[in-house]
Amino acid sequence: MAFANVVALLCFLATSIFTVEGEVRRFPDTISFGVATASYQVEGAWNVSDKGENIWDRFTHTTDSIRDRSNGDVACDSYNQHRRDIEMLKELGVDYYRFSISWTRILPDGFSNRLSQDGIAYYNTLINDLLEANITPYVTIYHWDLPQRLQDLGGWANPMMADYYTDFAKVAFEAFGDRVKHWLTFNEPWVICYQGYGMIEKAPALDMSGIADYLCGHSLLKAHAKAYHLYDDVYRPTQNGRIGWTLNTNYHEAASQSPADREAAERAMQFELGWFGHPVFSSEGDYSQILKDRVNQKSSEQGYPRSRLPEFTSEEVAYLKGTCDFFGLNHYSTNFVRMPTMALKSSKVSFDDDLGVEKFVDPAWPGSEADWLKVVPWGFRNLLNWIRNSYNSPEIIVFENGFPDRDDKDDVDRINYYNGYMNALLDAMEDGCNVTAYTAWSLMDNFEWSDGYTQRYGLYHVDFNDPMRTRTPKASAMYYKSILETRTIERD
Ligand code: GAL
């Protein structure tokens, strides 16, 4: 064979291998991988032993707000099936498992004067079994299931909550901190306050946007800082763990490069991620000037004697600053933002009116079972870079990322989502973002809040009609497992 032909053949072989197998990218050894769940979404056993009632028990039992009229009474029955959950974690080969503690399971009345020994025993067993399986526990102290009795006192709008919450966190540090070295104080403060206090989307569904949401955020920030300092001062010296929280946001991309649209996009970032991010991660601390100015101006136009956004004292600003050992991030999707050409007309005081921008999506973006979740991997990369640039290159841990479908075990769309988003993660790391862990939401299908069981995010399928709640790996479980095994991913 002539030399030119040999070269041509080799080139052909090389390209076909390249296209058949795709180009492979490797994750650095510094990143670890996990999966997540939350107590109300998986545990069930809502009233076993002396467990107290929480706001999701009340919300699901007494309103018709859940799309399929379901509840978390049994959910995935992880209270009884945690051994199977650990088998699944081992099958996947994850480094860690992120789960949350149900407040009323360990403090039935919400207060720390009375502990449930059964509740403490449940989490002790879970933690011990995880450690024995060589899986690190990552514990969220609060993932939305507030004791109903504390809600009756005003919930997060009550400034006393900072103390009640810290009492709860103290019980958790004392009971589990000898073995748990990774703590999150809160899951998604923005969702807790915006959707639970501002809207009717989530419990306690207060529907007082522009007022209750800011009060909720204010005491939640104080609760977080207080629990952080307690851990830092009292427990860290002997327990040697790390503590932070996890914030959620869409990425808000400017609709055009015009100064007005760029301002609108930055304002949207400051209202969502920055509401809780700025006081803790920025070098100056406090709420961002953008948030303060907007709410102040709107409040005064509306005849309020003071801003609807409460103020921190300078001591509080200092107390809040730096109260996270890493930047925890939950992220799912992206939208465009533009500045309205005419002032948006709204007769209602609301967070969105304070924000005052227009959001929209590109109809060409692939969708999902959730109308708000479009598949836009590049937004993830841009978001990670936004955090790097805005908050002085913090260590970032991604605590949630995932895709909802209706009910599909051959879940190609979920695989495509993960492939796109994990490639975007690698792009961001190559840009210089310091991401040290990535968490898939979720280990298994579970109770998806107001959407009940109509939207599924699991790597494992759960049969909710089966009393055993049988779990079966989906195609995406195999896909995630192979990424973790090989620490590589195909370039998309
Ligand atoms: C997050 C939440 C999770 C899960 C996920 C999927 O906001 O923390 O509990 O529901 O969304 O929608």
Side-chain angles (χ1 to χ4, degrees):
M1 202 187 286
F3 179 70
N5 287 346
V6 174
V7 172
L9 179 66
L10 286 176
C11 285
F12 169 75
L13 285 176
T15 16
S16 34
I17 290 168
F18 193 82
T19 39
V20 171
E21 296 193 355
E23 187 198 339
V24 156
R25 306 173 79 183
R26 177 164 288 280
F27 283 98
D29 294 338
T30 45
I31 188 165
S32 56
F33 294 98
V35 288
T37 62
S39 48
Y40 188 77
Q41 295 179 278
V42 300
E43 282 178 7
W46 79 281
N47 62 353
V48 299
S49 182
D50 48 357
K51 176 178 168 292
E53 186 191 23
N54 66 45
I55 57 173
W56 278 90
D57 296 323
R58 178 70 65 90
F59 190 55
T60 55
H61 293 158
T62 61
T63 71
D64 53 11
S65 309
I66 310 301
R67 207 198 300 185
D68 55 2
R69 304 285 156 94
S70 64
N71 55 51
D73 288 4
V74 181
C76 306
D77 196 29
S78 285
Y79 186 78
N80 296 303
Q81 310 270 358
H82 85 272
R83 291 215 161 75
R84 171 67 182 128
D85 294 349
I86 293 178
E87 262 171 40
M88 286 143 58
L89 296 164
K90 289 207 296 206
E91 280 162 15
L92 289 172
V94 292
D95 300 305
Y96 61 91
Y97 178 44
R98 173 182 172 224
F99 63 93
S100 77
I101 299 178
S102 161
W103 191 328
T104 55
R105 195 177 294 294
I106 66 169
L107 304 180
D109 310 311
F111 298 105
S112 66
N113 60 317
R114 185 164 78 91
L115 269 55
S116 162
Q117 291 313 324
D118 284 356
I120 302 265
Y122 169 67
Y123 293 110
N124 269 331
T125 311
L126 175 60
I127 291 163
N128 292 342
D129 289 354
L130 282 169
L131 290 171
E132 201 179 303
N134 214 9
I135 295 164
T136 305
Y138 275 53
V139 176
T140 315
I141 299 171
Y142 182 79
H143 198 127
W144 304 357
D145 38 7
L146 190 74
Q148 181 60 44
R149 282 169 64 89
L150 299 184
Q151 190 61 54
D152 295 341
L153 295 173
W156 292 108
N158 179 346
M160 281 303 292
M161 277 299 299
D163 287 345
Y164 303 150
Y165 172 82
T166 308
D167 297 340
F168 165 44
K170 180 170 191 275
V171 170
F173 299 147
E174 297 224 319
F176 314 123
D178 56 335
R179 286 149 297 149
V180 172
K181 306 298 170 193
H182 302 269
W183 295 101
L184 294 173
T185 56
F186 286 96
N187 178 69
E188 302 188 349
W190 186 88
V191 172
I192 297 170
C193 299
Y194 175 80
Q195 292 189 352
Y197 287 67
M199 300 166 66
I200 54 166
E201 180 69 20
K202 299 232 154 59
L206 288 194
D207 199 15
M208 288 179 67
S209 187
I211 308 265
D213 37 15
Y214 296 131
L215 296 181
C216 165
H218 208 66
S219 70
L220 201 149
L221 273 155
K222 289 187 193 174
H224 161 78
K226 196 160 184 163
Y228 178 92
H229 284 293
L230 173 71
Y231 188 78
D232 201 37
D233 296 343
V234 179
Y235 296 99
R236 198 199 301 273
T238 53
Q239 296 185 350
N240 298 312
R242 307 179 79 205
I243 182 164
W245 63 3
T246 187
L247 303 182
N248 68 288
T249 193
N250 258 28
Y251 180 63
H252 301 289
E253 171 82 2
S256 78
Q257 284 311 305
S258 75
D261 286 349
R262 290 171 63 164
E263 185 191 332
E266 180 63 15
R267 197 193 294 165
M269 289 304 302
Q270 289 301 341
F271 264 67
E272 193 168 345
L273 194 60
W275 180 4
F276 297 94
H278 202 276
V280 172
F281 297 102
S282 70
S283 41
E284 62 272 35
D286 201 356
Y287 294 124
S288 71
Q289 204 58 45
I290 296 176
L291 183 64
K292 287 194 289 193
D293 287 351
R294 285 288 302 178
V295 185
N296 196 15
Q297 182 202 329
K298 280 273 171 184
S299 304
S300 105
E301 284 167 16
Q302 292 156 344
Y304 288 91
R306 67 187 71 81
S307 176
R308 287 178 276 99
L309 180 71
E311 281 179 17
F312 289 119
T313 63
S314 48
E315 289 76 31
E316 288 168 343
V317 168
Y319 188 70
L320 273 158
K321 246 172 57 176
T323 52
C324 273
D325 299 333
F326 45 79
F327 194 108
L329 175 70
N330 293 1
H331 174 71
Y332 290 88
S333 196
T334 285
N335 54 264
F336 283 120
V337 182
R338 68 178 156 233
M339 195 66 90
T341 39
M342 286 187 297
L344 294 169
K345 285 242 174 312
S346 151
S347 50
K348 220 177 148 220
V349 168
S350 75
F351 178 94
D352 286 328
D353 181 62
D354 292 339
L355 169 55
V357 302
E358 284 173 4
K359 296 181 189 167
F360 62 99
V361 296
D362 183 337
W365 292 340
S368 72
E369 192 59 20
D371 52 7
W372 58 271
L373 198 156
K374 308 293 174 201
V375 184
V376 197
W378 57 259
F380 187 29
R381 177 186 191 170
N382 288 4
L383 170 62
L384 291 164
N385 277 293
W386 188 93
I387 294 168
R388 175 165 73 100
N389 296 327
S390 306
Y391 300 130
N392 195 22
S393 298
E395 174 189 346
I396 302 174
I397 299 186
V398 178
F399 279 113
E400 282 185 29
N401 181 230
F403 179 88
D405 61 18
R406 190 179 300 237
D407 188 5
D408 196 355
K409 287 186 194 153
D410 190 15
D411 51 347
V412 181
D413 291 342
R414 178 167 296 105
I415 291 177
N416 286 337
Y417 179 94
Y418 278 122
N419 194 62
Y421 276 72
M422 291 177 86
N423 263 288
L425 170 72
L426 271 174
D427 292 339
M429 291 173 78
E430 285 167 13
D431 296 337
C433 298
N434 177 20
V435 183
T436 57
Y438 172 87
T439 320
W441 181 273
S442 171
L443 169 62
M444 62 192 143
D445 296 336
N446 56 54
F447 178 78
E448 177 51 25
W449 310 112
S450 300
D451 291 303
Y453 299 100
T454 64
Q455 292 180 6
R456 294 169 177 254
Y457 284 82
L459 297 174
Y460 278 74
H461 176 270
V462 177
D463 182 352
F464 293 104
N465 295 317
D466 174 355
M468 295 305 295
R469 297 298 191 270
T470 302
R471 291 111 155 92
T472 318
K474 302 181 191 176
S476 59
M478 297 303 146
Y479 171 78
Y480 196 54
K481 176 185 169 70
S482 77
I483 293 178
L484 273 46
E485 236 162 43
T486 60
R487 300 190 66 85
T488 60
I489 189 173
E490 213 170 283
R491 189 183 283 280
D492 63 348

